[in-house]
Amino acid sequence: MKWRMWLQAALWLTLSTGLADAQPRNSSRPPSGPFTPEPAIRPSAPFPEAKQRHPPSDVYLAVQYGFRSTEVLYLYLSARRANEVRDQLQIFAPRNGAFELIDSPAGKLATFPLKGGSGTIRGREFRIQNLESKFDGVTFRTDLTVTSGYRLWDVIHVSAEVTMQSQTGRAAYRVGGLVHSYVGLSPMEAKPFAVVGMPRFRIGPGKFDVGRLYASLTLGDLPVLPGDGMGREVRASIKEAGSDRVRTTRARWEDRPYLGIRPFETLALLEFDARSGKEYEVEASLDLGPVFGTATAHTRFTAPIPKKSD
């Protein structure tokens, strides 16, 4: 409990002093569009306070939990020796013109099935709670879970549970995935990724399964799962070229404890009978609650004609 109070106090200072002074106090929407975070502040030198144990296998992550450039945490994960789970976490945040160490939570042990199913592996879970950001009248509160050693000693998974509160209502979502494309061996090499912002909703046919429409919801390249205050299904209307008939289909999705652990993870699959060689136009919608509203997606495609066998 003490480290949470310390973390919250340090984050409040980040927004009140130092690097935060370079940002407007009451900034409007960022220039790139609604609910889009400013680019996260980047360090220009290593962190002198970082306590290294085995530098060749230690990594940094940069998680942006808010819309200001200073609302970012740099996470340093280290191991005792080579080929072991990174079981130590140090948290750095921008403060007083530099990045300072604000906490080193112990985390807790977690057991996972070993990849390949030949046993189990003892990983480590770290929780960073009550991160808060305000944007355009909406309060975003985020709880982060960083999992080290998920199924293999070097696998890192990050999950964020984000709750949004505004005058129009409350909604929540979860975003996460395997984050190896974002890690760096130094804080300067870590690629920041945001866990707040407007998710992107898409729909389209599969390459090898034209009888299904694949719906996805992502933030950056991490999958998003709608939560409380959001709809529970994707709805789509399908119109075949040359026909006045419009078919409708819908599909619900199931909750799952770990997002983004499979390539090209989808939110939902919608069944429909496509006729080869025919052109289709699809309009889809997904209720994202009182803050984001209803997301829509559109696609047009021609169902492939099966190749003749020789």
Side-chain angles (χ1 to χ4, degrees):
M1 187 62 68
K2 185 180 295 184
W3 74 266
R4 292 179 187 173
M5 294 174 63
W6 184 18
L7 176 57
Q8 290 174 25
L11 293 173
W12 182 86
L13 285 170
T14 297
L15 301 180
S16 303
T17 61
L19 293 173
D21 288 338
Q23 306 299 326
R25 292 290 183 180
N26 296 303
S27 61
S28 58
R29 295 183 186 275
S32 55
F35 295 107
T36 301
E38 299 170 349
I41 205 118
R42 305 289 296 272
S44 58
F47 300 156
E49 293 181 89
K51 299 174 178 62
Q52 298 179 337
R53 296 190 295 172
H54 190 265
S57 62
D58 296 350
V59 295
Y60 284 86
L61 283 171
V63 184
Q64 190 170 5
Y65 64 89
F67 295 87
R68 289 177 179 263
S69 63
T70 52
E71 293 177 320
V72 59
L73 299 178
Y74 277 76
L75 311 178
Y76 179 40
L77 287 154
S78 64
R80 290 186 178 88
R81 54 185 67 88
N83 301 327
E84 285 192 0
V85 170
R86 302 177 182 98
D87 60 352
Q88 178 175 283
L89 175 66
Q90 299 168 61
I91 304 173
F92 295 82
R95 183 178 172 188
N96 300 324
F99 283 86
E100 295 187 2
L101 175 65
I102 60 172
D103 195 28
S104 300
K108 67 176 184 179
L109 288 173
T111 301
F112 304 101
L114 194 63
K115 187 174 182 179
S118 59
T120 60
I121 184 172
R122 299 180 70 185
R124 199 91 181 170
E125 283 189 349
F126 303 92
R127 290 185 63 82
I128 308 168
Q129 296 180 302
N130 301 321
L131 302 172
E132 183 173 302
S133 176
K134 295 181 183 294
F135 179 77
D136 203 22
V138 183
T139 299
F140 289 75
R141 293 188 177 88
T142 300
D143 290 345
L144 284 176
T145 301
V146 180
T147 302
S148 177
Y150 174 74
R151 302 194 70 187
L152 285 175
W153 69 268
D154 62 340
V155 174
I156 300 173
H157 185 278
V158 172
S159 178
E161 297 179 9
V162 181
T163 302
M164 304 173 291
Q165 182 69 54
S166 71
Q167 292 183 347
T168 58
R170 178 182 180 277
Y173 64 87
R174 190 155 54 88
V175 56
L178 304 179
V179 292
H180 298 91
S181 61
Y182 296 97
V183 303
L185 298 180
S186 72
M188 300 83 74
E189 296 174 346
K191 179 184 175 183
F193 62 93
V195 295
V196 296
M198 180 69 179
R200 182 180 180 185
F201 176 53
R202 287 174 285 190
I203 195 164
K207 286 186 177 181
F208 307 105
D209 188 357
V210 296
R212 286 181 172 181
L213 293 171
Y214 290 72
S216 67
L217 188 67
T218 56
L219 190 54
D221 61 358
L222 297 177
V224 174
L225 194 67
D228 294 340
M230 295 187 178
R232 294 294 301 173
E233 62 183 13
V234 175
R235 302 181 181 184
S237 60
I238 306 164
K239 186 177 184 301
E240 184 179 304
S243 172
D244 294 331
R245 180 188 174 193
V246 176
R247 290 176 284 174
T248 60
T249 183
R250 62 181 65 185
R252 294 172 64 91
W253 60 86
E254 296 181 359
D255 195 5
R256 44 195 183 272
Y258 288 91
L259 294 172
I261 60 175
R262 296 183 299 274
F264 313 110
E265 187 168 313
T266 58
L267 177 66
L269 296 175
L270 294 84
E271 306 283 349
F272 86 108
D273 296 325
R275 297 196 295 171
S276 62
K278 294 294 183 180
E279 184 179 351
Y280 293 92
E281 186 172 2
V282 179
E283 296 281 351
S285 64
L286 173 62
D287 177 16
L288 293 180
V291 176
F292 291 147
T294 299
T296 59
H298 172 268
T299 188
R300 186 191 299 268
F301 66 95
T302 300
I305 299 175
K307 294 182 179 180
K308 294 181 179 181
S309 58
D310 295 333

